[in-house]
Structure formats: C-alpha cells, structure tokens
Amino acid sequence: MSAASHDNRTLWIALAANLGIAASKFVAAAITGSSAMLTEGVHSVVDSTNQLLLMWGRKQSRKPPDKYHPFGYGRELYFWSFVVAVLVFALGAGVSIYEGILHIVEPEEAVSPIAAYVVLFVAFILEGWSTLAAFREFRQAKGRLGWYQAIKRSKDPPNFIVLLENGAAMAGIVAAGLGVFLSQITRNPFWDGAASVIIGLILGVTALWLARESKGLLIGEAADPEIVRGLRKLTVEKEGVVGVGHVMTIHSAPDIVTAMINVDFRDDMLAGKVEQIVRDVEDEARQSWPEVQRVFIRPMQNAASERKKKKGR
C-alpha cells in the first residue's frame, strides 16, 4: 500500500460534519423523544472526539527522537487509534445498546417524527460528504490492493478508521430512520428502541475490527512484503555477499520502517569492503523506499563453518 499523505484534511472534514450532526440530532431527540435519535447524537459526539484524538496522535507521532525514545514517537498514533476503538465500543456501542434496552423496557411515544426525518436526512448528507472524502483518500492510498487487503495492510490508522466509522455512521442513520418509521406506522415505540440496539451492535462490530487492526500496529507489524523482498534482493545482489538470512522489519510509524538484515559475507573480504556494502545497502534502500529510515546489517554467525561442513559432505 502506498504511503499516505498524512495530512488532516479528511479528519477536519469528518470533525466538522460530526459536530453539526451531533447538535441537530440532540435537538431532534429533545423534540421527538426518540431513543434512536439520542443514541445517534451520542455516536456523533464520540466520532467528533475520535477525530480530535487521531489528530493529536498524528501530531505527537511526528516528534523527533530523543534520548528516552531513540526510535521516535511514531507509535503514539497507534496508541490513540486503539483508544478510539475502545471509545467507539464503550461509549458508542455501550450507550446505544443501553438506551435501546431502556426504551424497550420503558417505551415513550415519539412526539414529532418529521423533525427526526429532517435531521436524519441532513445527517446522511453530511456523513456522505465526509465519507466521500475519506473514500477518495483511502482509494488513492491503497493503489491496486483490494479494499479488505488494503485495510489489513494499512499502517496509517486514521485512513481506515474514518472510513469505517463513517460507514458505520451511515448504517446507523438508516437504522435510526427505520426505527422512527416503524414506530410511527405501528404506533409501537419498541421499534425505536430496537433501532438503538441495532446501532449499538453495528458500532460494536466496527469497534472490535478497529481494535484488532490498531492492536496489531501497536504491538509492531512488519513492512509490506514487497519491501521485504526488495531489501533481500538489493542486499544479495551486492558483490561479496554470499547469502542473506533473516530480513526483519517493523513499523514504528506509518512512514518509518526499521529493517534488520542478516548477511553472509565472503570470508576473504576486508572490513572496509564490508562497511562499503553496508553503506550502499542503506543508501539505496532509502532511495527506493523512503519509509525505510533505519537499516541494521548483522553478519551471519557461523556462516563460514556451515559452508565448510557442506563442502566436506
């Protein structure tokens, strides 16, 4: 997956849309008494908070390395992405399901469904605007990869978090609209509460997926397999390199990769030649893959003795 631009344009669009949506939903909930509208308002507030946390995480991740964090602060972004997933699950899904069950147990008649329809329509338009911006940015970043594969491989959580959150939000708006409609035609407020529970389940599934992807990045994920293969090919083609063992990579930020390469050098090589090969591999790796900012090359241990054993057989 290609490197992301790492600007906050999509996050600012999502934040503006969600703040407007949240205000209108809370007004509609106060007018109509709709549980689904109230939970949708909470959902939009959670989404707004999430965008602020992601922007904060992105800002913190750009801090330069220091003596306490020699590899930089890149994983701050992954930490705050995981916090976002927890918030979606706890506040978004949890509150929605709680309010839905409460409304089913103690139903209240809706006062003015028309206000709810107007707000949901406006919310759908605003969410669509935000989703379209996130869709375009992610489509550009994913390149030729499929959507599912691109999300799995993405190292920049805000890219897919905003897209998945907005998708869940639009599904929630549809569920809320159906809940209000069924409550109106059946005169049974059960459907409004049921819509809240469905919204909560949608958010719960989304949050679990976000947590799974963010957790993998927080623990440490390898670079794209194409980069790993490229580093191996680049190294093994150097004159004086007999073979390459492990090529281990890890993302410490979306655009910072550390690579560790185990190399078997020719036995009669002088130290100066080995140093030159190491410098060449480091320079060419950075030119080919700008995100590969650190390369550590380690000579393979016992490689010479192993070759002698093989020749003696």
Side-chain angles (χ1 to χ4, degrees):
M1 187 168 175
S2 62
S5 61
H6 306 307
D7 61 52
N8 290 323
R9 178 178 173 274
T10 301
L11 291 173
W12 281 113
I13 290 174
L15 177 62
N18 281 316
L19 287 174
I21 292 167
S24 60
K25 285 177 180 175
F26 282 129
V27 171
I31 295 172
T32 64
S34 169
S35 171
M37 290 301 300
L38 178 62
T39 56
E40 273 295 293
V42 172
H43 177 195
S44 295
V45 170
V46 173
D47 281 352
S48 301
T49 304
N50 291 344
Q51 270 93 60
L52 290 172
L53 289 177
L54 290 173
M55 284 190 277
W56 172 255
R58 185 168 272 173
K59 178 183 177 182
Q60 291 297 103
S61 71
R62 292 170 177 166
K63 289 167 62 177
D66 54 38
K67 65 178 181 178
Y68 298 109
H69 299 87
F71 287 93
Y73 290 79
R75 293 198 187 183
E76 280 251 17
L77 179 59
Y78 301 152
F79 168 76
W80 290 110
S81 299
F82 188 79
V83 170
V84 163
V86 173
L87 286 176
V88 171
F89 188 83
L91 295 181
V95 172
S96 295
I97 293 173
Y98 171 78
E99 284 290 333
I101 293 173
L102 193 65
H103 205 69
I104 291 171
V105 174
E106 299 177 4
E108 296 179 7
E109 289 288 342
V111 178
S112 176
I114 294 177
Y117 293 138
V118 171
V119 169
L120 287 172
F121 176 75
V122 172
F124 194 84
I125 297 299
L126 290 174
E127 285 288 2
W129 168 53
S130 176
T131 303
L132 185 61
F135 173 83
R136 287 173 174 167
E137 182 175 306
F138 193 77
R139 183 177 61 182
Q140 182 180 7
K142 79 181 186 68
R144 293 177 295 177
L145 294 175
W147 288 91
Y148 177 76
Q149 190 180 23
I151 291 174
K152 294 287 292 179
R153 287 196 186 184
S154 176
K155 311 303 179 185
D156 191 18
N159 269 7
F160 62 80
I161 286 178
V162 173
L163 186 63
L164 291 177
E165 270 190 350
N166 286 0
M170 296 188 76
I173 290 171
V174 172
L178 287 173
V180 173
F181 175 73
L182 290 173
S183 295
Q184 182 186 9
I185 64 172
T186 64
R187 297 187 179 279
N188 184 355
F190 163 82
W191 296 108
D192 188 52
S196 291
V197 174
I198 291 172
I199 292 168
L201 293 175
I202 291 171
L203 292 175
V205 171
T206 304
L208 290 174
W209 194 3
L210 294 179
R212 182 175 180 273
E213 295 302 316
S214 299
K215 184 198 74 171
L217 291 167
L218 189 58
I219 293 172
E221 284 191 0
D224 191 286
E226 292 182 6
I227 294 179
V228 176
R229 287 192 293 269
L231 287 170
R232 179 181 295 277
K233 184 174 183 292
L234 170 66
T235 306
V236 80
E237 288 179 348
K238 294 299 178 186
E239 184 181 354
V241 173
V242 178
V244 175
H246 298 297
V247 178
M248 294 181 289
T249 58
I250 190 169
H251 269 270
S252 23
D255 53 0
I256 299 177
V257 172
T258 298
M260 292 152 281
I261 308 174
N262 217 11
V263 180
D264 182 9
F265 294 100
R266 203 173 60 222
D267 299 339
D268 59 352
M269 286 185 63
L270 298 175
K273 179 61 176 174
V274 172
E275 292 172 0
Q276 183 61 51
I277 292 175
V278 170
R279 284 195 297 270
D280 290 345
V281 170
E282 290 175 346
D283 292 342
E284 291 177 29
R286 292 192 189 97
Q287 290 174 7
S288 300
W289 307 280
E291 61 267 42
V292 181
Q293 297 188 14
R294 305 182 189 94
V295 180
F296 299 98
I297 296 179
R298 179 175 180 268
M300 291 177 64
Q301 294 181 343
N302 303 322
S305 59
E306 288 295 326
R307 286 198 301 275
K308 289 178 181 178
K309 286 180 183 178
K310 289 180 181 179
K311 288 180 181 179
R313 291 175 184 170

